[in-house]
Amino acid sequence: MINKEVASAAEAVADIPSGASIAVGGFGLSGNPIALIEALLAQGADNLSIVSNNCGVDDWGLGVLLNARRIRKMTSSYVGENKEFERQFLSGELEVELTPQGTLAEKLRAGGSGIGAFFTQTGVGTQVAEGGLPRRYDGAGGVAVASPVKEVREFDVNGTPRQFVLEEAITTDFALVHALRGDRHGNLVFNKAARQFSPVAAMAGRICIAQVEELVEPGEIDPDQVHLPGVYVSRIVQVGHDIEKRIEKRTVREGA
């Protein structure tokens, strides 16, 4: 039997080197693998290239790595909740590859499925396809690095010619994800919104590391309930149900 459990988050991320590329799961702050992120912060790796839906907030999630100047490049679809992210991007300290949200999910899924690239209508007629989106500023208001022009091809869809842009798949050296439950073989179950990007991020990483709230024995998870098969997971560490979880903006009904 393959037992993928490791004793601690620190042990799980110990071999992630400086300069590594990492896909990180989560949707907003939901499903952030915070124990692994904090362990990576303590471990000291820097010059990281991160692929994730967003970069957390200033003091939580991937924001803790950003504040410590550990991230060289972010590939994301949403970056609106982090003031330090904005400052580093506009000052030229951080490279940012903005990607439409659905396209980002599919680029990760394709990478994990052995698909090199795909065509999509999303981004046609915009700078996503035509190039010129700022990826890195020069610190003086100019653009030091811009996005390239992408191939656009016409396909017939239900008798109507339509344009599609070519998007390359994403694969990374490592992946970090948070799951509600997992077994020692690495099979994972995610909870609600945490299921959005976590499975595809896990698939894209050559070495996937999962933190789970509950670790059970193989066979205790109904196969029909498995959201990510253990074949994609290399290491698993239990962090418990009481691990802190944050909400970006808490909204409650008046008079509730």
Side-chain angles (χ1 to χ4, degrees), residues 100 103 107 117-131 148-155 162-168:
T103 301
K107 284 164 76 78
F118 58 91
F119 282 95
T120 176
Q121 289 184 278
T122 304
V124 171
T126 74
Q127 286 182 301
V128 170
E130 296 169 359
V149 176
K150 297 177 181 177
E151 179 184 350
V152 175
R153 187 179 299 182
E154 192 172 274
F155 294 91
R162 296 183 180 178
Q163 290 187 322
F164 292 75
V165 58
L166 181 67
E167 293 283 359
E168 296 184 4

Short mmCIF file of all heavy atoms in Angstrom, two decimals, residues 100 103 107 117-131 148-155 162-168:
data_model
loop_
_atom_site.label_atom_id
_atom_site.label_comp_id
_atom_site.label_asym_id
_atom_site.label_seq_id
_atom_site.Cartn_x
_atom_site.Cartn_y
_atom_site.Cartn_z
N PRO A 100 -8.10 35.33 -18.12
CA PRO A 100 -9.53 35.13 -17.82
C PRO A 100 -9.74 33.91 -16.95
O PRO A 100 -9.07 32.88 -17.11
CB PRO A 100 -10.15 34.95 -19.21
CG PRO A 100 -9.23 35.70 -20.14
CD PRO A 100 -7.85 35.48 -19.57
N THR A 103 -10.44 30.53 -18.52
CA THR A 103 -9.26 30.13 -19.29
C THR A 103 -8.17 29.62 -18.37
O THR A 103 -7.50 28.61 -18.66
CB THR A 103 -8.74 31.30 -20.13
OG1 THR A 103 -9.78 31.74 -21.02
CG2 THR A 103 -7.52 30.91 -20.94
N LYS A 107 -6.49 26.01 -18.53
CA LYS A 107 -5.05 25.88 -18.78
C LYS A 107 -4.44 24.92 -17.75
O LYS A 107 -3.58 24.10 -18.08
CB LYS A 107 -4.37 27.26 -18.70
CG LYS A 107 -4.61 28.12 -19.93
CD LYS A 107 -4.28 29.59 -19.67
CE LYS A 107 -2.80 29.86 -19.66
NZ LYS A 107 -2.22 29.93 -21.01
N ALA A 117 -2.24 22.51 -25.54
CA ALA A 117 -2.88 23.80 -25.80
C ALA A 117 -4.31 23.56 -26.26
O ALA A 117 -4.70 22.43 -26.59
CB ALA A 117 -2.10 24.59 -26.85
N PHE A 118 -5.10 24.63 -26.32
CA PHE A 118 -6.49 24.53 -26.77
C PHE A 118 -6.92 25.88 -27.33
O PHE A 118 -6.30 26.92 -27.06
CB PHE A 118 -7.41 24.11 -25.61
CG PHE A 118 -7.38 25.05 -24.43
CD1 PHE A 118 -8.26 26.11 -24.33
CD2 PHE A 118 -6.45 24.88 -23.42
CE1 PHE A 118 -8.23 26.99 -23.25
CE2 PHE A 118 -6.40 25.74 -22.33
CZ PHE A 118 -7.29 26.80 -22.25
N PHE A 119 -7.99 25.87 -28.09
CA PHE A 119 -8.55 27.10 -28.64
C PHE A 119 -9.81 27.47 -27.87
O PHE A 119 -10.64 26.62 -27.55
CB PHE A 119 -8.89 26.93 -30.12
CG PHE A 119 -7.69 27.01 -31.04
CD1 PHE A 119 -7.05 25.85 -31.45
CD2 PHE A 119 -7.22 28.24 -31.47
CE1 PHE A 119 -5.96 25.92 -32.30
CE2 PHE A 119 -6.13 28.32 -32.33
CZ PHE A 119 -5.49 27.16 -32.74
N THR A 120 -9.98 28.77 -27.58
CA THR A 120 -11.15 29.27 -26.88
C THR A 120 -11.58 30.60 -27.48
O THR A 120 -10.75 31.37 -27.99
CB THR A 120 -10.88 29.43 -25.38
OG1 THR A 120 -12.04 30.00 -24.74
CG2 THR A 120 -9.69 30.34 -25.11
N GLN A 121 -12.87 30.91 -27.38
CA GLN A 121 -13.36 32.20 -27.85
C GLN A 121 -13.06 33.31 -26.85
O GLN A 121 -13.05 34.49 -27.22
CB GLN A 121 -14.86 32.14 -28.10
CG GLN A 121 -15.26 31.33 -29.32
CD GLN A 121 -16.75 31.37 -29.57
OE1 GLN A 121 -17.51 30.62 -28.96
NE2 GLN A 121 -17.18 32.25 -30.46
N THR A 122 -12.83 32.96 -25.61
CA THR A 122 -12.59 33.96 -24.57
C THR A 122 -11.32 34.76 -24.87
O THR A 122 -10.25 34.18 -25.00
CB THR A 122 -12.47 33.31 -23.19
OG1 THR A 122 -13.65 32.54 -22.92
CG2 THR A 122 -12.28 34.35 -22.11
N GLY A 123 -11.45 36.05 -24.96
CA GLY A 123 -10.30 36.92 -25.20
C GLY A 123 -10.13 37.36 -26.63
O GLY A 123 -9.32 38.25 -26.92
N VAL A 124 -10.88 36.78 -27.56
CA VAL A 124 -10.78 37.19 -28.96
C VAL A 124 -11.22 38.65 -29.09
O VAL A 124 -12.23 39.06 -28.52
CB VAL A 124 -11.65 36.29 -29.86
CG1 VAL A 124 -11.72 36.85 -31.27
CG2 VAL A 124 -11.11 34.87 -29.87
N GLY A 125 -10.45 39.43 -29.84
CA GLY A 125 -10.77 40.84 -30.03
C GLY A 125 -10.32 41.74 -28.90
O GLY A 125 -10.65 42.93 -28.88
N THR A 126 -9.57 41.19 -27.93
CA THR A 126 -9.05 41.98 -26.82
C THR A 126 -7.53 41.82 -26.75
O THR A 126 -6.93 41.06 -27.52
CB THR A 126 -9.66 41.52 -25.48
OG1 THR A 126 -9.08 40.26 -25.10
CG2 THR A 126 -11.16 41.34 -25.59
N GLN A 127 -6.92 42.51 -25.80
CA GLN A 127 -5.46 42.40 -25.62
C GLN A 127 -5.04 41.01 -25.17
O GLN A 127 -3.86 40.67 -25.27
CB GLN A 127 -4.96 43.46 -24.64
CG GLN A 127 -4.93 44.87 -25.22
CD GLN A 127 -4.39 45.86 -24.22
OE1 GLN A 127 -4.93 46.03 -23.13
NE2 GLN A 127 -3.30 46.52 -24.58
N VAL A 128 -5.98 40.22 -24.66
CA VAL A 128 -5.64 38.84 -24.32
C VAL A 128 -5.11 38.13 -25.56
O VAL A 128 -4.13 37.38 -25.50
CB VAL A 128 -6.87 38.10 -23.75
CG1 VAL A 128 -6.59 36.61 -23.61
CG2 VAL A 128 -7.26 38.68 -22.40
N ALA A 129 -5.75 38.36 -26.70
CA ALA A 129 -5.32 37.74 -27.95
C ALA A 129 -4.36 38.63 -28.74
O ALA A 129 -3.41 38.13 -29.35
CB ALA A 129 -6.54 37.42 -28.81
N GLU A 130 -4.60 39.93 -28.73
CA GLU A 130 -3.84 40.85 -29.57
C GLU A 130 -2.52 41.28 -28.95
O GLU A 130 -1.68 41.87 -29.62
CB GLU A 130 -4.70 42.07 -29.87
CG GLU A 130 -5.95 41.71 -30.69
CD GLU A 130 -6.95 42.84 -30.77
OE1 GLU A 130 -6.69 43.92 -30.17
OE2 GLU A 130 -8.00 42.66 -31.41
N GLY A 131 -2.32 40.98 -27.67
CA GLY A 131 -1.08 41.33 -27.00
C GLY A 131 -1.08 42.77 -26.49
O GLY A 131 -1.98 43.55 -26.78
N PRO A 148 2.38 38.77 -25.25
CA PRO A 148 2.61 38.58 -26.68
C PRO A 148 1.30 38.42 -27.46
O PRO A 148 0.24 38.17 -26.88
CB PRO A 148 3.41 37.27 -26.74
CG PRO A 148 2.87 36.49 -25.56
CD PRO A 148 2.60 37.52 -24.49
N VAL A 149 1.41 38.56 -28.77
CA VAL A 149 0.29 38.26 -29.65
C VAL A 149 0.10 36.74 -29.67
O VAL A 149 1.06 35.98 -29.73
CB VAL A 149 0.56 38.77 -31.08
CG1 VAL A 149 -0.58 38.37 -32.02
CG2 VAL A 149 0.75 40.28 -31.06
N LYS A 150 -1.18 36.29 -29.63
CA LYS A 150 -1.48 34.87 -29.66
C LYS A 150 -2.13 34.49 -30.99
O LYS A 150 -2.77 35.32 -31.65
CB LYS A 150 -2.41 34.49 -28.50
CG LYS A 150 -1.79 34.72 -27.13
CD LYS A 150 -2.78 34.39 -26.01
CE LYS A 150 -2.15 34.65 -24.65
NZ LYS A 150 -3.11 34.41 -23.54
N GLU A 151 -1.96 33.25 -31.36
CA GLU A 151 -2.55 32.77 -32.60
C GLU A 151 -4.08 32.78 -32.50
O GLU A 151 -4.66 32.33 -31.51
CB GLU A 151 -2.07 31.36 -32.90
CG GLU A 151 -2.67 30.77 -34.18
CD GLU A 151 -2.26 29.34 -34.44
OE1 GLU A 151 -1.36 28.83 -33.73
OE2 GLU A 151 -2.86 28.71 -35.33
N VAL A 152 -4.72 33.31 -33.53
CA VAL A 152 -6.18 33.28 -33.63
C VAL A 152 -6.54 32.50 -34.89
O VAL A 152 -6.00 32.75 -35.96
CB VAL A 152 -6.77 34.70 -33.69
CG1 VAL A 152 -8.28 34.64 -33.93
CG2 VAL A 152 -6.47 35.45 -32.40
N ARG A 153 -7.46 31.55 -34.76
CA ARG A 153 -7.85 30.70 -35.88
C ARG A 153 -9.37 30.65 -35.97
O ARG A 153 -10.07 30.76 -34.96
CB ARG A 153 -7.28 29.29 -35.70
CG ARG A 153 -7.49 28.39 -36.93
CD ARG A 153 -6.89 27.01 -36.71
NE ARG A 153 -5.45 27.07 -36.49
CZ ARG A 153 -4.70 25.97 -36.31
NH1 ARG A 153 -5.28 24.76 -36.31
NH2 ARG A 153 -3.41 26.09 -36.11
N GLU A 154 -9.86 30.50 -37.18
CA GLU A 154 -11.30 30.45 -37.41
C GLU A 154 -11.77 29.01 -37.52
O GLU A 154 -11.19 28.20 -38.24
CB GLU A 154 -11.64 31.21 -38.69
CG GLU A 154 -13.13 31.48 -38.88
CD GLU A 154 -13.38 32.39 -40.06
OE1 GLU A 154 -13.33 33.63 -39.87
OE2 GLU A 154 -13.61 31.85 -41.17
N PHE A 155 -12.85 28.70 -36.77
CA PHE A 155 -13.47 27.39 -36.83
C PHE A 155 -14.96 27.55 -37.14
O PHE A 155 -15.57 28.56 -36.77
CB PHE A 155 -13.31 26.64 -35.51
CG PHE A 155 -11.90 26.27 -35.17
CD1 PHE A 155 -11.10 27.12 -34.42
CD2 PHE A 155 -11.35 25.07 -35.60
CE1 PHE A 155 -9.80 26.77 -34.09
CE2 PHE A 155 -10.06 24.71 -35.28
CZ PHE A 155 -9.27 25.57 -34.53
N ARG A 162 -16.35 31.25 -36.56
CA ARG A 162 -16.03 32.02 -35.35
C ARG A 162 -14.54 31.95 -35.09
O ARG A 162 -13.87 30.98 -35.44
CB ARG A 162 -16.80 31.48 -34.14
CG ARG A 162 -18.31 31.63 -34.25
CD ARG A 162 -19.01 31.14 -32.99
NE ARG A 162 -20.44 31.29 -33.10
CZ ARG A 162 -21.31 30.90 -32.17
NH1 ARG A 162 -20.86 30.34 -31.04
NH2 ARG A 162 -22.60 31.07 -32.34
N GLN A 163 -14.04 33.01 -34.45
CA GLN A 163 -12.62 33.08 -34.15
C GLN A 163 -12.34 32.55 -32.75
O GLN A 163 -13.10 32.76 -31.81
CB GLN A 163 -12.11 34.51 -34.27
CG GLN A 163 -12.07 35.03 -35.70
CD GLN A 163 -11.41 36.38 -35.79
OE1 GLN A 163 -11.59 37.25 -34.93
NE2 GLN A 163 -10.62 36.59 -36.84
N PHE A 164 -11.20 31.86 -32.64
CA PHE A 164 -10.76 31.29 -31.37
C PHE A 164 -9.29 31.63 -31.17
O PHE A 164 -8.52 31.65 -32.13
CB PHE A 164 -10.93 29.76 -31.37
CG PHE A 164 -12.35 29.30 -31.38
CD1 PHE A 164 -13.13 29.37 -32.53
CD2 PHE A 164 -12.92 28.77 -30.23
CE1 PHE A 164 -14.43 28.93 -32.55
CE2 PHE A 164 -14.24 28.32 -30.24
CZ PHE A 164 -15.00 28.40 -31.39
N VAL A 165 -8.90 31.86 -29.93
CA VAL A 165 -7.51 32.17 -29.61
C VAL A 165 -6.84 30.94 -28.99
O VAL A 165 -7.46 30.21 -28.22
CB VAL A 165 -7.39 33.39 -28.66
CG1 VAL A 165 -8.14 33.16 -27.36
CG2 VAL A 165 -5.93 33.73 -28.38
N LEU A 166 -5.59 30.71 -29.35
CA LEU A 166 -4.83 29.57 -28.83
C LEU A 166 -4.27 29.89 -27.45
O LEU A 166 -3.59 30.91 -27.27
CB LEU A 166 -3.68 29.22 -29.78
CG LEU A 166 -2.82 28.02 -29.39
CD1 LEU A 166 -3.61 26.73 -29.47
CD2 LEU A 166 -1.57 27.95 -30.28
N GLU A 167 -4.56 29.04 -26.50
CA GLU A 167 -4.04 29.18 -25.14
C GLU A 167 -3.21 27.95 -24.78
O GLU A 167 -3.67 26.82 -24.96
CB GLU A 167 -5.17 29.34 -24.12
CG GLU A 167 -5.95 30.64 -24.24
CD GLU A 167 -5.20 31.84 -23.67
OE1 GLU A 167 -4.07 31.65 -23.15
OE2 GLU A 167 -5.74 32.95 -23.75
N GLU A 168 -2.01 28.17 -24.30
CA GLU A 168 -1.14 27.05 -23.92
C GLU A 168 -1.48 26.56 -22.52
O GLU A 168 -1.85 27.34 -21.63
CB GLU A 168 0.33 27.48 -23.99
CG GLU A 168 0.78 27.82 -25.40
CD GLU A 168 2.27 28.14 -25.46
OE1 GLU A 168 2.95 28.02 -24.42
OE2 GLU A 168 2.74 28.52 -26.55
#
